Amino acid sequence: MEREEFFIQEALKSAQEAYQNGEVPVGAVIVSGDQIIARGANAVIRLNDPTAHAEIIALREAGRVLNNYRLTETELFVTLEPCTMCFAALVHARIKSLCYAAPDAKTGVVSTGVLDQIKKIFNHTITINEKSGIIGATSTKLLQTFFKERRGAGVVERDGLESR
């Protein structure tokens, strides 16, 4: 198993945790060297926090573990391409590289072309590796299952409030 695949599989474990908690199933791990130092699972509903994306949760934990807000020489592995908010946080944390499993054509910072438009404002560059294929398909299937189940249960969002 490739290194990237191993760590994305670990991130998928966190995505499963989010799924079981009724959250959008996205998971992330932050790695220093070859050791996972932080994990994150989406928790926006549980925490009533719109910033509680898997990447942000993992960044917060990694900062505590390293006792530093700069996470230089660390790598983020995430099951879904980060949004603009999360990517900006990765830049500010000085993450060295990003590897994501599934692209996000709707809100992903790379797939939407947003990164090309804003990268000149950043003072740090992150190496980006999309690791799709089987891993991306697994992540995408989990997300599709989640949203299909929610639509089937009549869960919709109106005016920022979910009906559960």
Side-chain angles (χ1 to χ4, degrees), residues 87 96-100 109-110 115 126-130:
F87 190 82
K96 181 172 88 174
S97 68
L98 161 68
C99 181
Y100 62 89
V109 70
V110 177
L115 183 58
I126 297 173
T127 302
I128 300 173
N129 174 9
E130 178 188 342

Side-chain angles (χ1 to χ4, degrees), residues 31-88:
V31 174
S32 180
D34 281 326
Q35 181 179 3
I36 296 172
I37 62 167
R39 294 177 181 271
N42 270 2
V44 295
I45 298 168
R46 181 173 57 83
L47 297 177
N48 294 311
D49 179 354
T51 68
H53 291 195
E55 301 93 326
I56 302 298
I57 300 288
L59 285 171
R60 290 174 181 159
E61 183 179 331
R64 285 189 294 272
V65 167
L66 296 178
N67 198 32
N68 199 335
Y69 70 104
R70 296 287 195 220
L71 306 176
T72 58
E73 301 305 313
T74 62
E75 303 167 90
L76 177 84
F77 296 85
V78 64
T79 59
L80 182 66
E81 177 183 349
C83 68
T84 304
M85 173 189 72
C86 290
F87 190 82

